[in-house]
Amino acid sequence: MAHDEARGPQGPAKLVIRNIGLLLSGDLQNPILDADTIVAVDGRISAVGRSKDVDTAQATTVVDANGTTVAPGLIDSHVHPVAGDWTPRQNQLGWIDSFLHGGVTTMISAGEVHTPGRPRDIVGLKAMAIFAQRAFAGFRPSGVKVHAGAPCIEPGMVEEDFRELAAAGVKLLGEVGLGGVKDGPTARKMVDWARKYGIQSTIHTGGPSIPGSGLIDKDVVLEADTDVIGHINGGHTALPDGQIRCICEGCRRGLELVHNGNERAALYTLRIAKEMNQLERVILGTDAPAGSGVQPLGIIRMVAMLSSLGDVPAEIAFCFATGNTARLRSLDCGLVEVGRAADFVFMDKAQHSAGKDLLDSVALGDLPGIGMTIIDGIVRTERSRNTPPATKLPAIVAR
């Protein structure tokens, strides 16, 4: 169920989450917090700590976590939205709502490339980007925050185009390489213009994924110098290991691992990041909707895979899908700390999992059961329709 009242009838909306069994922070440096209570006022975290130490009076909503794990809402760093909660790629309605049932509360567009008749002329691509930015700013499917309006650069664009896009509110570039610009020097010039005006960039990495795209290898990736190395594990086809290592060692940009890529290459990239002691660069996406479909559980599947096969503690793997992405993407969510958006996912180990608790079950490769999601301090879903059933569930005890 979704509850859309952001404020109480007599004043600010105050959410209290109590009886938290395990609180994951999203922060690599301190992934588990010594706290059992969160308080949020008007959609922002106002206190985190022990119940006896925080002000829980006059709450408008109280959620009893019932000993479950609470984590920041998951962030999908790589999606391809088109129009609201519909995707023409698989002619599917409700895909964003389904992702919410997989714990995803925020999405980042890597380009609205599946839009039928997508314009390639400069006037048209700018218009489409501004429209997408406006549309998703004004409409949040099931409450999910979709950061959209990500134009794919085309030959002939000049600095003024990027200034105009930024002035209109566009903050992202679609994957470099999905438009007509596929060479390093041109891409670098345009990425620099985008960065000058506060627009963040991502590049396609690996073999072609849609008609009109092509191979983007290490030389183009390193010369373009985008802020995020999009699906370094391929979308779908990964680069050779030597090129992946060269990219990891040749820059300090975000290393995005996606569900719709090559799993072995994802684990190889993770191993390099560990060797370099740079796990803060690792972020997660699904690269969906795509030819391989829509994956509502794609992000938690990546967390479980990287933990169980990549020899990373589960609490660290969750940081890849939360705090790491929030910091690299300059988001106000993704971390449990005062002042951040009150976006949370409640989880527990799946029923009959071999793991002794949630973290152990994820480290064994099992998906957690999701019992609730909250966005901006508002309960958006209760028991997930997509995950395995959780052993314990939170409950709304006062509203």
Side-chain angles (χ1 to χ4, degrees):
M1 70 179 67
H3 309 285
D4 296 323
E5 298 81 7
R7 297 177 65 84
Q10 305 302 323
K14 183 174 181 178
L15 167 72
V16 172
I17 304 171
R18 69 190 191 196
N19 296 330
I20 298 170
L22 177 70
L23 183 54
L24 301 181
S25 70
D27 183 357
L28 278 177
Q29 303 306 312
N30 186 29
I32 297 176
L33 297 178
D34 182 17
D36 61 11
T37 304
I38 299 172
V39 179
V41 176
D42 284 343
R44 296 271 165 188
I45 299 171
S46 61
V48 180
R50 292 290 171 182
S51 58
K52 62 183 177 60
D53 300 322
V54 298
D55 176 14
T56 61
Q58 296 182 311
T60 53
T61 302
V62 177
V63 173
D64 187 337
N66 191 30
T68 59
T69 296
V70 175
L74 307 182
I75 305 168
D76 190 334
S77 176
H78 194 125
V79 297
H80 290 294
V82 171
D85 208 357
W86 168 71
T87 171
R89 190 66 192 264
Q90 297 296 336
N91 194 25
Q92 182 170 332
L93 286 168
W95 71 276
I96 295 173
D97 181 74
S98 283
F99 274 56
L100 177 61
H101 279 263
V104 173
T105 57
T106 297
M107 297 177 166
I108 309 295
S109 175
E112 296 78 39
V113 293
H114 302 318
T115 302
R118 173 168 66 98
R120 305 299 182 101
D121 65 290
I122 296 169
V123 171
L125 74 87
K126 289 192 295 184
M128 192 179 90
I130 294 168
F131 164 76
Q133 185 275 328
R134 294 286 195 281
F136 281 101
F139 174 63
R140 289 169 47 179
S142 302
V144 176
K145 302 169 185 176
V146 183
H147 297 267
C152 293
I153 56 176
E154 294 287 348
M157 294 184 76
V158 297
E159 181 175 348
E160 177 62 18
D161 294 316
F162 295 89
R163 188 203 65 78
E164 179 185 340
L165 284 165
V170 171
K171 297 180 179 179
L172 301 165
L173 285 190
E175 292 177 67
V176 174
L178 294 189
V181 174
K182 304 181 192 302
D183 66 286
T186 304
R188 177 60 178 269
K189 178 173 63 176
M190 294 186 182
V191 165
D192 284 347
W193 285 335
R195 191 171 287 133
K196 176 179 178 180
Y197 295 105
I199 299 174
Q200 192 179 71
S201 55
T202 299
I203 192 166
H204 177 91
T205 309
S209 58
I210 60 173
S213 64
L215 172 67
I216 302 293
D217 65 11
K218 67 174 178 61
D219 294 329
V220 178
V221 169
L222 291 174
E223 186 159 14
D225 191 36
T226 56
D227 299 297
V228 173
I229 312 302
H231 52 61
I232 192 171
N233 62 317
H236 306 274
T237 307
L239 294 172
D241 288 356
Q243 292 205 27
I244 292 175
R245 178 173 287 277
C246 187
I247 291 169
C248 292
E249 295 177 348
C251 71
R252 289 297 303 267
R253 303 302 185 180
L255 304 174
E256 184 185 78
L257 307 179
V258 301
H259 182 276
N260 285 351
N262 180 313
E263 291 89 347
R264 192 201 63 82
L267 291 165
Y268 178 71
T269 303
L270 178 63
R271 186 162 72 246
I272 296 170
K274 288 170 63 179
E275 290 173 3
M276 296 176 69
N277 195 28
Q278 293 178 3
L279 285 179
E280 73 279 0
R281 295 171 61 190
V282 178
I283 63 177
L284 306 183
T286 55
D287 194 8
S292 57
V294 170
Q295 296 82 23
L297 306 184
I299 294 297
I300 57 172
R301 282 189 176 279
M302 288 295 291
V303 169
M305 183 194 75
L306 295 173
S307 179
S308 61
L309 300 180
D311 195 26
V312 169
E315 64 268 28
I316 296 296
F318 275 107
C319 295
F320 302 159
T322 55
N324 278 13
T325 311
R327 285 176 169 144
L328 279 167
R329 294 291 196 174
S330 300
L331 303 174
D332 69 349
C333 55
L335 292 158
V336 177
E337 60 183 33
V338 172
R340 294 270 177 172
D343 300 348
F344 309 110
V345 56
F346 294 67
M347 303 173 288
D348 197 35
K349 73 170 185 175
Q351 292 178 16
H352 308 296
S353 168
K356 64 180 184 295
D357 54 29
L358 174 107
L359 295 181
D360 190 45
S361 69
V362 172
L364 290 173
D366 284 338
L367 301 184
I370 290 176
M372 184 177 288
T373 60
I374 290 176
I375 303 176
D376 289 337
I378 302 169
V379 176
R380 304 293 178 166
T381 62
E382 294 186 51
R383 177 181 289 203
S384 170
R385 65 172 183 263
N386 292 332
T387 64
T391 302
K392 293 179 292 187
L393 291 169
I396 302 170
V397 295
R399 184 185 307 124

